[in-house]
mmCIF file of all heavy atoms in Angstrom:
data_model
loop_
_atom_site.group_PDB
_atom_site.id
_atom_site.type_symbol
_atom_site.label_atom_id
_atom_site.label_comp_id
_atom_site.label_asym_id
_atom_site.label_seq_id
_atom_site.Cartn_x
_atom_site.Cartn_y
_atom_site.Cartn_z
ATOM 1 N N LYS A 1 0.889 -1.102 -0.013
ATOM 2 C CA LYS A 1 0.014 -0.022 0.007
ATOM 3 C C LYS A 1 0.893 1.223 0.014
ATOM 4 O O LYS A 1 1.984 1.183 0.589
ATOM 5 C CB LYS A 1 -0.938 0.011 1.253
ATOM 6 C CG LYS A 1 -1.804 -1.199 1.370
ATOM 7 C CD LYS A 1 -2.827 -1.311 0.161
ATOM 8 C CE LYS A 1 -3.638 -2.592 0.369
ATOM 9 N NZ LYS A 1 -4.331 -2.875 -0.886
ATOM 10 N N TYR A 2 0.457 2.314 -0.651
ATOM 11 C CA TYR A 2 1.212 3.481 -0.814
ATOM 12 C C TYR A 2 0.404 4.669 -0.361
ATOM 13 O O TYR A 2 -0.733 4.920 -0.763
ATOM 14 C CB TYR A 2 1.618 3.673 -2.274
ATOM 15 C CG TYR A 2 2.473 2.576 -2.812
ATOM 16 C CD1 TYR A 2 1.844 1.402 -3.360
ATOM 17 C CD2 TYR A 2 3.910 2.620 -2.782
ATOM 18 C CE1 TYR A 2 2.591 0.410 -3.809
ATOM 19 C CE2 TYR A 2 4.572 1.573 -3.335
ATOM 20 C CZ TYR A 2 3.974 0.486 -3.811
ATOM 21 O OH TYR A 2 4.742 -0.589 -4.289
ATOM 22 N N ILE A 3 0.980 5.473 0.532
ATOM 23 C CA ILE A 3 0.382 6.644 1.011
ATOM 24 C C ILE A 3 1.167 7.855 0.451
ATOM 25 O O ILE A 3 2.353 7.991 0.692
ATOM 26 C CB ILE A 3 0.380 6.728 2.538
ATOM 27 C CG1 ILE A 3 -0.288 5.565 3.185
ATOM 28 C CG2 ILE A 3 -0.248 8.015 3.005
ATOM 29 C CD1 ILE A 3 -0.087 5.414 4.695
ATOM 30 N N PHE A 4 0.575 8.709 -0.329
ATOM 31 C CA PHE A 4 1.164 9.805 -1.000
ATOM 32 C C PHE A 4 0.771 11.074 -0.398
ATOM 33 O O PHE A 4 -0.452 11.310 0.022
ATOM 34 C CB PHE A 4 0.845 9.897 -2.499
ATOM 35 C CG PHE A 4 1.411 8.740 -3.299
ATOM 36 C CD1 PHE A 4 0.677 7.543 -3.429
ATOM 37 C CD2 PHE A 4 2.709 8.720 -3.778
ATOM 38 C CE1 PHE A 4 1.162 6.503 -4.187
ATOM 39 C CE2 PHE A 4 3.169 7.709 -4.466
ATOM 40 C CZ PHE A 4 2.463 6.596 -4.698
ATOM 41 N N ASP A 5 1.705 12.032 -0.194
ATOM 42 C CA ASP A 5 1.430 13.339 0.114
ATOM 43 C C ASP A 5 1.064 14.116 -1.169
ATOM 44 O O ASP A 5 1.376 13.553 -2.291
ATOM 45 C CB ASP A 5 2.610 14.071 0.755
ATOM 46 C CG ASP A 5 2.438 15.596 1.010
ATOM 47 O OD1 ASP A 5 1.397 15.975 1.546
ATOM 48 O OD2 ASP A 5 3.355 16.323 0.633
ATOM 49 N N PHE A 6 0.308 15.178 -1.091
ATOM 50 C CA PHE A 6 -0.067 15.910 -2.293
ATOM 51 C C PHE A 6 0.895 17.042 -2.672
ATOM 52 O O PHE A 6 1.536 17.029 -3.742
ATOM 53 C CB PHE A 6 -1.526 16.465 -2.222
ATOM 54 C CG PHE A 6 -1.959 17.097 -3.377
ATOM 55 C CD1 PHE A 6 -2.262 16.420 -4.558
ATOM 56 C CD2 PHE A 6 -2.134 18.545 -3.399
ATOM 57 C CE1 PHE A 6 -2.734 17.136 -5.705
ATOM 58 C CE2 PHE A 6 -2.577 19.183 -4.552
ATOM 59 C CZ PHE A 6 -2.922 18.486 -5.681
ATOM 60 N N ASP A 7 0.927 18.055 -1.760
ATOM 61 C CA ASP A 7 1.766 19.254 -2.077
ATOM 62 C C ASP A 7 3.255 18.981 -2.149
ATOM 63 O O ASP A 7 3.820 18.485 -1.154
ATOM 64 C CB ASP A 7 1.448 20.300 -1.011
ATOM 65 C CG ASP A 7 0.010 20.836 -1.059
ATOM 66 O OD1 ASP A 7 -0.297 21.231 -2.158
ATOM 67 O OD2 ASP A 7 -0.660 20.822 -0.032
ATOM 68 N N ASP A 8 3.837 19.334 -3.237
ATOM 69 C CA ASP A 8 5.227 19.198 -3.524
ATOM 70 C C ASP A 8 5.697 17.710 -3.729
ATOM 71 O O ASP A 8 6.869 17.384 -3.703
ATOM 72 C CB ASP A 8 6.128 19.980 -2.564
ATOM 73 C CG ASP A 8 6.074 21.483 -2.843
ATOM 74 O OD1 ASP A 8 5.973 21.886 -4.045
ATOM 75 O OD2 ASP A 8 6.057 22.204 -1.876
ATOM 76 N N VAL A 9 4.702 16.832 -3.829
ATOM 77 C CA VAL A 9 4.922 15.487 -4.218
ATOM 78 C C VAL A 9 4.244 15.234 -5.531
ATOM 79 O O VAL A 9 4.880 15.008 -6.550
ATOM 80 C CB VAL A 9 4.566 14.491 -3.095
ATOM 81 C CG1 VAL A 9 4.720 13.016 -3.584
ATOM 82 C CG2 VAL A 9 5.391 14.665 -1.810
ATOM 83 N N LEU A 10 2.934 15.153 -5.457
ATOM 84 C CA LEU A 10 2.126 14.952 -6.631
ATOM 85 C C LEU A 10 1.830 16.219 -7.411
ATOM 86 O O LEU A 10 1.624 16.238 -8.593
ATOM 87 C CB LEU A 10 0.752 14.332 -6.236
ATOM 88 C CG LEU A 10 -0.150 13.774 -7.342
ATOM 89 C CD1 LEU A 10 0.593 12.762 -8.206
ATOM 90 C CD2 LEU A 10 -1.359 13.214 -6.782
ATOM 91 N N PHE A 11 1.800 17.352 -6.700
ATOM 92 C CA PHE A 11 1.554 18.663 -7.228
ATOM 93 C C PHE A 11 2.618 19.590 -6.881
ATOM 94 O O PHE A 11 3.036 19.612 -5.733
ATOM 95 C CB PHE A 11 0.177 19.159 -6.724
ATOM 96 C CG PHE A 11 -0.269 20.437 -7.280
ATOM 97 C CD1 PHE A 11 -0.660 20.578 -8.613
ATOM 98 C CD2 PHE A 11 -0.199 21.731 -6.545
ATOM 99 C CE1 PHE A 11 -1.149 21.805 -9.143
ATOM 100 C CE2 PHE A 11 -0.594 22.922 -7.068
ATOM 101 C CZ PHE A 11 -1.118 22.905 -8.378
ATOM 102 N N GLN A 12 3.202 20.351 -7.825
ATOM 103 C CA GLN A 12 4.386 21.230 -7.566
ATOM 104 C C GLN A 12 3.836 22.521 -6.989
ATOM 105 O O GLN A 12 3.830 23.589 -7.641
ATOM 106 C CB GLN A 12 5.105 21.476 -8.878
ATOM 107 C CG GLN A 12 5.690 20.172 -9.473
ATOM 108 C CD GLN A 12 6.117 20.373 -10.918
ATOM 109 O OE1 GLN A 12 5.752 21.254 -11.637
ATOM 110 N NE2 GLN A 12 6.886 19.429 -11.420
ATOM 111 N N THR A 13 3.482 22.431 -5.671
ATOM 112 C CA THR A 13 2.803 23.565 -5.040
ATOM 113 C C THR A 13 3.661 24.761 -4.880
ATOM 114 O O THR A 13 3.202 25.829 -5.129
ATOM 115 C CB THR A 13 2.335 23.074 -3.602
ATOM 116 O OG1 THR A 13 1.573 21.805 -3.792
ATOM 117 C CG2 THR A 13 1.518 24.092 -2.892
ATOM 118 N N THR A 14 4.900 24.567 -4.485
ATOM 119 C CA THR A 14 5.773 25.753 -4.289
ATOM 120 C C THR A 14 5.983 26.467 -5.626
ATOM 121 O O THR A 14 5.883 27.713 -5.646
ATOM 122 C CB THR A 14 7.170 25.301 -3.642
ATOM 123 O OG1 THR A 14 6.850 24.642 -2.476
ATOM 124 C CG2 THR A 14 8.069 26.490 -3.484
ATOM 125 N N LYS A 15 6.228 25.747 -6.698
ATOM 126 C CA LYS A 15 6.390 26.295 -7.985
ATOM 127 C C LYS A 15 5.137 27.017 -8.443
ATOM 128 O O LYS A 15 5.167 28.126 -8.934
ATOM 129 C CB LYS A 15 6.757 25.237 -8.980
ATOM 130 C CG LYS A 15 7.230 25.707 -10.333
ATOM 131 C CD LYS A 15 7.631 24.588 -11.253
ATOM 132 C CE LYS A 15 8.003 25.098 -12.617
ATOM 133 N NZ LYS A 15 8.371 24.098 -13.568
ATOM 134 N N HIS A 16 4.115 26.405 -8.261
ATOM 135 C CA HIS A 16 2.684 26.992 -8.594
ATOM 136 C C HIS A 16 2.493 28.234 -7.850
ATOM 137 O O HIS A 16 2.030 29.258 -8.413
ATOM 138 C CB HIS A 16 1.551 25.971 -8.266
ATOM 139 C CG HIS A 16 0.186 26.457 -8.532
ATOM 140 N ND1 HIS A 16 -0.568 27.062 -7.535
ATOM 141 C CD2 HIS A 16 -0.521 26.529 -9.685
ATOM 142 C CE1 HIS A 16 -1.770 27.438 -8.048
ATOM 143 N NE2 HIS A 16 -1.729 27.144 -9.345
ATOM 144 N N ARG A 17 2.765 28.293 -6.565
ATOM 145 C CA ARG A 17 2.576 29.414 -5.758
ATOM 146 C C ARG A 17 3.447 30.551 -6.147
ATOM 147 O O ARG A 17 3.011 31.734 -6.329
ATOM 148 C CB ARG A 17 2.818 29.027 -4.189
ATOM 149 C CG ARG A 17 2.589 30.159 -3.322
ATOM 150 C CD ARG A 17 2.742 29.817 -1.840
ATOM 151 N NE ARG A 17 4.202 29.579 -1.547
ATOM 152 C CZ ARG A 17 4.718 28.415 -1.192
ATOM 153 N NH1 ARG A 17 4.004 27.367 -1.144
ATOM 154 N NH2 ARG A 17 6.022 28.288 -0.935
ATOM 155 N N LYS A 18 4.779 30.300 -6.341
ATOM 156 C CA LYS A 18 5.664 31.381 -6.673
ATOM 157 C C LYS A 18 5.634 31.904 -8.128
ATOM 158 O O LYS A 18 5.736 33.076 -8.362
ATOM 159 C CB LYS A 18 7.164 30.917 -6.349
ATOM 160 C CG LYS A 18 7.344 30.699 -4.862
ATOM 161 C CD LYS A 18 8.694 30.255 -4.579
ATOM 162 C CE LYS A 18 8.953 30.134 -3.142
ATOM 163 N NZ LYS A 18 10.358 29.710 -2.753
ATOM 164 N N GLU A 19 5.401 30.949 -9.001
ATOM 165 C CA GLU A 19 5.426 31.295 -10.458
ATOM 166 C C GLU A 19 4.115 31.660 -11.011
ATOM 167 O O GLU A 19 4.026 32.213 -12.122
ATOM 168 C CB GLU A 19 6.108 30.189 -11.240
ATOM 169 C CG GLU A 19 7.553 29.876 -10.929
ATOM 170 C CD GLU A 19 8.091 28.732 -11.679
ATOM 171 O OE1 GLU A 19 7.463 28.215 -12.664
ATOM 172 O OE2 GLU A 19 9.250 28.290 -11.380
ATOM 173 N N HIS A 20 3.059 31.298 -10.331
ATOM 174 C CA HIS A 20 1.759 31.497 -10.904
ATOM 175 C C HIS A 20 0.784 32.306 -9.968
ATOM 176 O O HIS A 20 0.357 33.502 -10.233
ATOM 177 C CB HIS A 20 1.108 30.258 -11.363
ATOM 178 C CG HIS A 20 -0.246 30.374 -11.947
ATOM 179 N ND1 HIS A 20 -0.447 31.019 -13.137
ATOM 180 C CD2 HIS A 20 -1.429 29.936 -11.582
ATOM 181 C CE1 HIS A 20 -1.783 31.003 -13.367
ATOM 182 N NE2 HIS A 20 -2.352 30.375 -12.490
ATOM 183 N N MET A 21 0.467 31.669 -8.828
ATOM 184 C CA MET A 21 -0.526 32.217 -7.906
ATOM 185 C C MET A 21 -0.029 33.630 -7.362
ATOM 186 O O MET A 21 -0.886 34.608 -7.470
ATOM 187 C CB MET A 21 -0.769 31.340 -6.706
ATOM 188 C CG MET A 21 -1.925 31.805 -5.841
ATOM 189 S SD MET A 21 -2.398 30.460 -4.675
ATOM 190 C CE MET A 21 -1.199 30.720 -3.303
ATOM 191 N N PHE A 22 1.119 33.715 -6.820
ATOM 192 C CA PHE A 22 1.604 35.003 -6.294
ATOM 193 C C PHE A 22 1.705 36.066 -7.394
ATOM 194 O O PHE A 22 1.445 37.259 -7.132
ATOM 195 C CB PHE A 22 2.847 34.828 -5.543
ATOM 196 C CG PHE A 22 2.729 34.188 -4.214
ATOM 197 C CD1 PHE A 22 1.525 33.607 -3.711
ATOM 198 C CD2 PHE A 22 3.742 34.192 -3.284
ATOM 199 C CE1 PHE A 22 1.385 33.080 -2.469
ATOM 200 C CE2 PHE A 22 3.615 33.612 -1.969
ATOM 201 C CZ PHE A 22 2.495 33.092 -1.532
ATOM 202 N N VAL A 23 2.056 35.655 -8.550
ATOM 203 C CA VAL A 23 2.303 36.573 -9.688
ATOM 204 C C VAL A 23 0.855 37.202 -10.022
ATOM 205 O O VAL A 23 0.710 38.415 -10.156
ATOM 206 C CB VAL A 23 2.884 35.870 -10.909
ATOM 207 C CG1 VAL A 23 2.791 36.821 -12.167
ATOM 208 C CG2 VAL A 23 4.285 35.497 -10.681
ATOM 209 N N LEU A 24 -0.152 36.368 -10.080
ATOM 210 C CA LEU A 24 -1.579 36.871 -10.375
ATOM 211 C C LEU A 24 -2.041 37.697 -9.209
ATOM 212 O O LEU A 24 -2.741 38.748 -9.515
ATOM 213 C CB LEU A 24 -2.452 35.719 -10.710
ATOM 214 C CG LEU A 24 -2.199 34.976 -11.971
ATOM 215 C CD1 LEU A 24 -3.182 33.778 -12.055
ATOM 216 C CD2 LEU A 24 -2.282 35.804 -13.190
ATOM 217 N N LEU A 25 -1.835 37.343 -8.039
ATOM 218 C CA LEU A 25 -2.242 38.206 -6.912
ATOM 219 C C LEU A 25 -1.569 39.587 -6.961
ATOM 220 O O LEU A 25 -2.196 40.601 -6.643
ATOM 221 C CB LEU A 25 -1.897 37.497 -5.592
ATOM 222 C CG LEU A 25 -2.738 36.197 -5.347
ATOM 223 C CD1 LEU A 25 -2.284 35.527 -4.123
ATOM 224 C CD2 LEU A 25 -4.173 36.486 -5.136
ATOM 225 N N GLN A 26 -0.333 39.598 -7.308
ATOM 226 C CA GLN A 26 0.378 40.908 -7.449
ATOM 227 C C GLN A 26 -0.124 41.728 -8.543
ATOM 228 O O GLN A 26 -0.345 42.917 -8.393
ATOM 229 C CB GLN A 26 1.958 40.664 -7.696
ATOM 230 C CG GLN A 26 2.667 40.221 -6.448
ATOM 231 C CD GLN A 26 4.100 39.947 -6.752
ATOM 232 O OE1 GLN A 26 4.456 38.928 -7.251
ATOM 233 N NE2 GLN A 26 4.982 40.974 -6.451
ATOM 234 N N LYS A 27 -0.442 41.092 -9.704
ATOM 235 C CA LYS A 27 -1.111 41.779 -10.798
ATOM 236 C C LYS A 27 -2.461 42.385 -10.439
ATOM 237 O O LYS A 27 -2.911 43.405 -11.043
ATOM 238 C CB LYS A 27 -1.243 40.824 -12.047
ATOM 239 C CG LYS A 27 0.045 40.602 -12.772
ATOM 240 C CD LYS A 27 -0.218 39.688 -13.943
ATOM 241 C CE LYS A 27 1.148 39.385 -14.610
ATOM 242 N NZ LYS A 27 0.948 38.478 -15.708
ATOM 243 N N ALA A 28 -3.149 41.726 -9.427
ATOM 244 C CA ALA A 28 -4.358 42.231 -8.975
ATOM 245 C C ALA A 28 -4.181 43.409 -7.933
ATOM 246 O O ALA A 28 -5.189 43.917 -7.390
ATOM 247 C CB ALA A 28 -5.231 41.131 -8.286
ATOM 248 N N GLY A 29 -2.916 43.812 -7.681
ATOM 249 C CA GLY A 29 -2.672 44.959 -6.847
ATOM 250 C C GLY A 29 -2.221 44.676 -5.447
ATOM 251 O O GLY A 29 -2.147 45.556 -4.645
ATOM 252 N N ILE A 30 -2.040 43.396 -5.092
ATOM 253 C CA ILE A 30 -1.722 43.039 -3.810
ATOM 254 C C ILE A 30 -0.163 42.950 -3.648
ATOM 255 O O ILE A 30 0.423 42.173 -4.363
ATOM 256 C CB ILE A 30 -2.348 41.684 -3.406
ATOM 257 C CG1 ILE A 30 -3.877 41.734 -3.650
ATOM 258 C CG2 ILE A 30 -2.136 41.337 -1.930
ATOM 259 C CD1 ILE A 30 -4.457 40.325 -3.691
ATOM 260 N N PRO A 31 0.367 43.686 -2.679
ATOM 261 C CA PRO A 31 1.826 43.714 -2.553
ATOM 262 C C PRO A 31 2.367 42.335 -2.071
ATOM 263 O O PRO A 31 1.705 41.625 -1.284
ATOM 264 C CB PRO A 31 2.077 44.770 -1.401
ATOM 265 C CG PRO A 31 0.866 45.535 -1.336
ATOM 266 C CD PRO A 31 -0.250 44.654 -1.791
ATOM 267 N N LEU A 32 3.496 41.872 -2.648
ATOM 268 C CA LEU A 32 4.047 40.542 -2.356
ATOM 269 C C LEU A 32 4.241 40.348 -0.828
ATOM 270 O O LEU A 32 3.922 39.284 -0.353
ATOM 271 C CB LEU A 32 5.364 40.362 -3.143
ATOM 272 C CG LEU A 32 5.987 39.037 -2.932
ATOM 273 C CD1 LEU A 32 5.062 37.855 -3.385
ATOM 274 C CD2 LEU A 32 7.320 38.952 -3.672
ATOM 275 N N PHE A 33 4.732 41.338 -0.120
ATOM 276 C CA PHE A 33 4.989 41.116 1.299
ATOM 277 C C PHE A 33 3.663 40.870 2.012
ATOM 278 O O PHE A 33 3.680 40.028 2.970
ATOM 279 C CB PHE A 33 5.767 42.315 1.951
ATOM 280 C CG PHE A 33 4.902 43.490 2.133
ATOM 281 C CD1 PHE A 33 4.267 43.729 3.342
ATOM 282 C CD2 PHE A 33 4.733 44.537 1.202
ATOM 283 C CE1 PHE A 33 3.566 44.869 3.619
ATOM 284 C CE2 PHE A 33 4.045 45.569 1.343
ATOM 285 C CZ PHE A 33 3.455 45.905 2.577
#
């Protein structure tokens, strides 16, 4: 039997957050900090 984690195992969460999600939030006018 195999137990998998999702974030940063099956889904590249850190990359998604830094390269996509945070970029779109910044474009919406929200400061990165």
Side-chain angles (χ1 to χ4, degrees):
K1 302 298 180 194
Y2 300 86
I3 304 169
F4 293 92
D5 174 48
F6 182 72
D7 292 307
D8 288 321
V9 174
L10 189 56
F11 183 73
Q12 299 165 346
T13 307
T14 301
K15 186 176 180 180
H16 177 263
R17 183 178 69 246
K18 290 180 178 181
E19 295 178 11
H20 181 64
M21 186 168 85
F22 282 11
V23 171
L24 290 177
L25 293 171
Q26 284 178 279
K27 285 181 182 176
I30 307 164
L32 181 59
F33 76 93

